[in-house]
Amino acid sequence: MEKILVTGSSGQIGLELVDALRDKYGEDNVLASDIKENTNDDPYFVMLDILNKQRLIEIVTDHKITQIYHLAAILSAHGEWNPKKTWNVNLNATLHVLNLAKEGLIKKIFFPSTIAVHGPNTPKKQTNQFTDFSPETVYGMSKITGELWCNYYHKNYGVDVRSIRYPGIIGWKNKPQGGTTDYAVEIFYDAVEKGAYECFLGKDTRLPMMYIDDAIRGTLELMEAPAENVKIRTSYNLAAVSFTPDELTALIKERMPSFVMSYKPDQRQQIADGWSQSIDDSEARKDWNWNHKYGVKDIVNVMLDNLSK
Ligand code: NAD
Ligand code: SER
């Protein structure tokens, strides 16, 4: 019987991943944890600052945890406010988690990486799995270093750690915070609530994105794939759609002709300019049959339909 711990479970992805894991493994077999208070009265939630190594070990031992989905992190835009703390949370805490597996306390780890591992020298279009990695944000630096440690622990200590480089994740259940791709969720909330949105990225900023149901399904598929199929132990490129704010606006206007979009780029523009515009994920498609289901029109429809309710 698997017993799963999710760190950073109160975030945009964690809240939905916990539900999906509980559907699969049973409610009491998935323990949610975060540094933020849980507001959902979840009986299977524990407070955990991932930097508190002793508390992490206690939780893993007391609850007989076998797998950790290690989501806790500080994202790209907030990461620039406090680089040292971001490095500590994003990288040093990941090493604590990897060590638990090295010491035989847990069997499997999921580590989410990101398109932020790319940098200004990375080819922008259909960015290959194996490419230039010279990120210029502390978030990207911590994630690419985390990927390399994952690979090291796999090769040298046999740790079963699996990872995906998520693009910007879009979902209607939770608002993201602290990221550079957040506009692609905020735009839908503001379209429904105010009929207008002021975008912090310029109109032609193309970025790779994915609907959250695809991201969660892909995560579970990777974690359940036979170990011999998981050939990449740094992190898999994963792609779905790619669009600019201007293109997204045009699609929203098809449903809401009165929607008004305006642009006021801020410091997040520079971060976005360093990232890829589209991703080649053929390795994931080949190794464990990854396939996305939601195109950009599907995303617009599912976001507007659900938020309008
Ligand atoms: P999020 O910011 O919504 O959630 C992260 C959670 O981590 C928050 O609830 C926060 O309270 C928690 N956290 C921060 N510091 C912590 C600490 N010291 N101890 C314990 N918890 C702490 O982020 P998300 O969008 O849900 O992302 C989850 C993971 O996926 C992250 O590792 C992120 O890098 C990765 N990712 C997300 C996206 C995306 O678009 N959402 C894209 C690429 C990668
Ligand atoms: N959505 C994330 C961010 O913008 C990408 O990792 O920081």
Side-chain angles (χ1 to χ4, degrees):
M1 179 59 78
E2 298 297 339
K3 274 271 192 178
I4 296 172
L5 173 68
V6 180
T7 73
S9 67
S10 307
Q12 187 202 7
I13 296 178
L15 286 163
E16 296 206 35
L17 180 66
V18 165
D19 286 346
L21 287 167
R22 286 185 177 157
D23 285 347
K24 195 159 195 63
Y25 293 98
E27 186 133 7
D28 50 347
N29 288 321
V30 180
L31 188 66
S33 74
D34 203 287
I35 199 171
K36 267 197 307 220
E37 289 270 6
N38 179 267
T39 46
N40 299 337
D41 289 330
D42 178 354
Y44 304 106
F45 174 85
V46 287
M47 290 289 284
L48 170 64
D49 178 345
I50 195 64
L51 293 172
N52 187 340
K53 199 170 156 185
Q54 198 48 43
R55 172 102 174 111
L56 174 64
I57 294 172
E58 275 165 25
I59 288 172
V60 165
T61 317
D62 291 353
H63 293 268
K64 299 186 170 52
I65 298 296
T66 60
Q67 299 189 16
I68 298 184
Y69 285 67
H70 175 46
L71 305 187
I74 298 172
L75 273 70
S76 58
H78 282 180
E80 296 306 291
W81 297 351
N82 193 338
K84 273 194 187 158
K85 182 175 174 198
T86 302
W87 183 261
N88 218 5
V89 171
N90 292 7
L91 182 70
N92 292 338
T94 301
L95 285 168
H96 297 336
V97 173
L98 286 167
N99 278 324
L100 294 176
K102 182 187 170 201
E103 287 155 17
L105 288 175
I106 56 169
K107 290 189 302 190
K108 221 185 225 185
I109 298 167
F110 175 73
F111 171 70
S113 189
T114 163
I115 50 167
V117 295
H118 301 133
N121 298 325
T122 310
K124 295 264 175 272
K125 297 202 169 109
Q126 287 300 103
T127 305
N128 190 264
Q129 174 71 43
F130 311 101
T131 185
D132 176 278
F133 299 101
S134 43
E136 291 189 341
T137 60
V138 68
Y139 174 66
M141 287 154 54
S142 64
K143 288 286 185 176
I144 190 67
T145 313
E147 284 188 18
L148 294 171
W149 276 116
C150 289
N151 189 53
Y152 187 91
Y153 271 67
H154 177 71
K155 300 276 178 240
N156 291 288
Y157 311 126
V159 169
D160 191 356
V161 52
R162 304 172 182 209
S163 175
I164 285 172
R165 290 179 189 138
Y166 291 133
I169 302 300
I170 302 175
W172 55 271
K173 290 184 186 163
N174 308 293
K175 255 192 186 176
Q177 44 162 3
T180 302
T181 58
D182 294 4
Y183 94 84
V185 178
E186 290 173 1
I187 190 173
F188 291 105
Y189 275 81
D190 280 15
V192 170
E193 283 164 10
K194 305 176 192 161
Y197 179 63
E198 184 179 88
C199 187
F200 57 77
L201 296 181
K203 70 183 183 57
D204 296 321
T205 311
R206 183 174 299 282
L207 287 171
M209 303 276 181
M210 180 179 289
Y211 187 56
I212 193 158
D213 286 16
D214 275 340
I216 302 263
R217 182 178 48 78
T219 302
L220 298 187
E221 284 173 5
L222 171 64
M223 288 299 274
E224 286 157 8
E228 62 272 20
N229 291 9
V230 184
K231 300 200 168 64
I232 290 173
R233 296 294 183 148
T234 47
S235 189
Y236 276 98
N237 273 4
L238 216 65
V241 298
S242 168
F243 53 77
T244 65
D246 200 34
E247 289 165 357
L248 190 58
T249 302
L251 289 171
I252 292 174
K253 276 175 173 275
E254 281 180 18
R255 296 249 328 226
M256 301 179 66
S258 61
F259 174 66
V260 178
M261 180 76 153
S262 56
Y263 295 93
K264 195 177 177 191
D266 64 18
Q267 72 285 356
R268 287 169 281 191
Q269 182 68 53
Q270 196 187 345
I271 297 177
D273 288 343
W275 292 356
S276 314
Q277 296 176 358
S278 58
I279 300 286
D280 173 359
D281 61 355
S282 45
E283 300 295 327
R285 290 177 193 260
K286 183 175 63 167
D287 287 356
W288 44 277
N289 296 321
W290 157 249
N291 215 338
H292 72 279
K293 289 191 176 152
Y294 286 80
V296 64
K297 277 199 167 185
D298 304 317
I299 296 176
V300 170
N301 286 332
V302 74
M303 292 295 288
L304 291 179
D305 288 348
N306 282 291
L307 289 173
S308 305
K309 287 180 203 155

